Amino acid sequence: MESVKKGLPGNSSPYTVAGRENCYIAMADRWLPGYKVDGRTADLFTRMIGSSYEPEKYQATDEERREI
């Protein structure tokens, strides 16, 4: 699926999704030196976000969701 970068001012860089009306993809990157992310936390974020889109592939418990 082809996407096109949409040049908006500020720090965000949303992309439009070709063939989908009003559908955008945006990523944010913030430097938080006090927030340490180890392998376990990175895995938890991956599973938590993935479970919303591919629940058959990624699972996160309610307890894990509360932790984040």
Side-chain angles (χ1 to χ4, degrees):
M1 184 178 293
E2 182 182 335
S3 65
V4 178
K5 187 171 183 175
K6 195 171 184 69
L8 296 178
N11 293 331
S12 62
S13 297
Y15 291 79
T16 59
V17 177
R20 301 279 307 269
E21 186 176 338
N22 295 321
C23 185
Y24 304 92
I25 298 172
M27 295 295 291
D29 182 15
R30 299 292 180 260
W31 179 251
L32 300 171
Y35 189 79
K36 305 296 182 201
V37 177
D38 57 12
R40 181 187 170 282
T41 305
D43 174 66
L44 182 53
F45 271 112
T46 299
R47 290 187 295 108
M48 228 175 62
I49 294 167
S51 67
S52 297
Y53 299 97
E54 295 182 85
E56 66 285 347
K57 184 176 178 182
Y58 301 99
Q59 291 85 36
T61 66
D62 289 339
E63 183 178 332
E64 290 173 322
R65 291 176 186 280
R66 283 191 297 274
E67 182 180 333
I68 298 297

